[in-house]
Structure formats: C-alpha cells, structure tokens
Amino acid sequence: MSEFVSKVDKEARSKAAETLKKRFLTLLDQLEKGEPLVMEIPKRTLANTVYDEKRKLLLLGEEKMKRSFLDMNEARRFMQTVLMGSIIYDALVSDEYPTIRDLYYRGKHSIVLRDPKGKTHEENTWDEQKESDSVIIDIEVFTSLLREEMLILSKEKGKVVGDMRLRSGNDIIDLSKMGHGAYSIEPTPDLIDFVEVNADFVLVVEKDAVFQQLHRAGFWRKYKCILITSAGQPDRATRRFLRRLNEELKLPVYILTDADPYGWYIYSVFRIGSISLSYESERLATPDAKFLGVSMGDIFGTPKKKAYLSERERSSFIIKAKDTDIKRALEIKNYNWFKTKSWEEEINMFLQRKAKLEIEAMASKGLKFLAFQYIPEKIQTKDFIG
C-alpha cells in the first residue's frame, strides 16, 4: 500500500508519529527513574476556558490535571490513554487511515484481572464509543496534535466550490468544474495545497440547500468568491479549511446563517471557537469572520436602515420563537464575546420580537433577490456584525 501513499501523507504521518512517540516516552523516563507514572494534561473544563479579548479566541487555560497510574480512581483512564496512544502510533507507522469508529473497535476488549483471593474479574477497556472518543481528545491535548494531524479520518461534511485549484494527495482538483456538485472538504485539510485561487472573499452558508441554490445561480462566478457550506454546525475540517483561506490567502470571510440563537452560535464557533473544544481554537477559529446575516434588522428594519421584508412577507415568513430559543438567546447574551453594542442590539431585538427567520425565507422572495441583491448589497454597504 505504501507505494500509493502520497508524499504529503508520508511526511505528515512521520511527523505525527515522532511527536506521539516522544510525548509518551516521557512515561518510560519516569519508570527508569523509579518515579510514579503521572500524565499532566490540560483541564478541558468550562472553568479552564478563557476568552482572549485581544486575539478574539476561546482558549484553553493554564490549569492542568495530574493523571496517576497508582490512583485507583484514575488508573483505568490512564490505561485507556496509553492504549489509544499505542493504537494511533501503530496506525501511523503502518500507513493506515483509521476512523474514530475504527479506533474504538481496535481498542475494545476485556482485560482479565485476578484479585488477591484468586478470584478473576473482567474489565472492558471501554464500553461505548463516547468513552474512546474522549480519550482521543485527551491525547490531542496531551500531545498538542489534532486528530487530523494524526490522519484519523471522520465523515466529510462541509462542501466548497469556486474558481480555485488545489492539490489533494497527488492530484490537482479544479473546484470551478464540479458541475452541479461541489468538493467535499477532506478530513485532513492541512494536507491540501492551494495551487491557484481567484477570489475576492469567502461566503459561508449554514444551510446546504441554500448553498446549492447559490451555486446553481452562479453566485460565486458573478462575485468572484469561494462558496462554502457547513451544513449546520461546522465540523473541524470545514473550520480549519476556512481558517487557512483567511489566514494564508487574506480573503475576507462572511457567514450567512438563520436569524436565531442557533445561527448566532454557528457563527461564533467559526469565529472564536467552541467552548467544548477550546484547545483547538488557535488553529480552527477565524477571528476576522463577519456575521452577514440574516439579522433582526434585515427582518424588521432599524432607525438607520429599511427592512428587506415587507409587513406582508414578515407575517408569512417569520417563525415564533420557542421557549428553548429564548433560553438559548439569554445564555448567548452572557457570553463575553457577544457583549458588544451590535450584538446586544441584535439579541435584544430578538427577545423583544420573539421571532426568528430561516435563510430560505429570503430565497422565497426569489433566488435572484437573495443572490444578486441581498447578499452583495450587504457586503458592499458593510452591513454586517464584526
């Protein structure tokens, strides 16, 4: 199989294997010195998650936990971490591409234990996949390697299209010649090379259906943009791909979501990272991303601008907010990164109106309106929240 593996993959797996090996060999050093086996791992807790105002990122704090092999409460998790580390290392040096599901099955077995009285007991390495998934995250934090850098694959979710050529493996792929389809963003986005990009900005659309409409309408051709969909909550590969477009190619990024608290949160995950995975924000978040809409002001208007929807359209398109929507909005209002004048106005208008709107409502006014008036007009007039 190795003769078919691309040079980029070989270099990536060699680097990851060496990092993984070096990090876990510190445990061997402890043994040779006669010291108790202890792993120091940064705490993945809300209390240890901080918002960096200057960098506009959610980051993992400096608090660490000590996982000791001789502590009965931590011995099982210690064993799981070492076991998973060895499985990932073996996959790397064997030119394999495991999925997180594969890793769950490769490590799932029973260990037979014998107590001082001679009675045997069976202990599973892990019972459910969420247990092994959590161990993988521990290894990411312990080694400072993302699972994508360890060539652990996941289901492709995000899609992209535009006037762009990229190298994936040994092939050059032209994203301007995908027909009515689009390129699925691979789970190892750092192994992609940007060969040629002819674009002025990036537009990220929450909804896959709206992405397809804009693609077929030729939006990206007319306005020279890279068009991306996250198909809902973005996966890590899509976030990393977007970060690279912004950071390496200096392309402005605009996010288009539903006008509701869940759409706002999707935007914030793209921009500043997620609370649960703050350890990866420095490589996955795009602090320069702008919230293009759909905004409350687009629906109802403000003293400074006219609404895009008529009163009749509002009565047809808006959806009454549920109690869960209100609760989520109040939670988001308390996040430090939403405590700006523009976001406070947006959230307060939502709480006052108790109404939300899907992007599809704008398309219901006509696809030409959405693609050739609403979106370009908002970008041109800088009608977005930064």
Side-chain angles (χ1 to χ4, degrees), residues 300 326 345-355:
F300 299 104
I326 303 298
E345 290 175 354
E346 182 76 9
I347 297 170
N348 287 337
M349 189 182 296
F350 170 81
L351 293 171
Q352 179 186 355
R353 298 281 187 169
K354 292 182 173 57

Side-chain angles (χ1 to χ4, degrees), residues 129-147:
Q129 187 176 333
K130 63 180 181 181
E131 207 175 351
S132 62
D133 287 354
S134 182
V135 175
I136 294 172
I137 294 174
D138 278 349
I139 291 175
E140 287 182 300
V141 178
F142 182 58
T143 62
S144 296
L145 285 170
L146 294 180
R147 72 182 187 213

Side-chain angles (χ1 to χ4, degrees), residues 202-206 230 242 253-257 263 266-268 270-271 286 289-294 384:
V202 182
L203 178 67
V204 181
V205 185
E206 172 194 348
S230 61
L242 182 67
V253 172
Y254 304 101
I255 313 289
L256 184 67
T257 75
I266 285 173
Y267 159 73
S268 78
F270 271 118
R271 187 183 181 191
T286 305
K290 313 295 183 187
F291 178 75
L292 193 67
V294 177
F384 46 70

Side-chain angles (χ1 to χ4, degrees), residues 212-226:
Q212 293 180 44
Q213 288 178 305
L214 292 174
H215 175 22
R216 291 194 176 217
F219 175 86
W220 60 269
R221 294 183 187 274
K222 182 176 177 62
Y223 295 104
K224 283 184 64 176
C225 87
I226 303 299

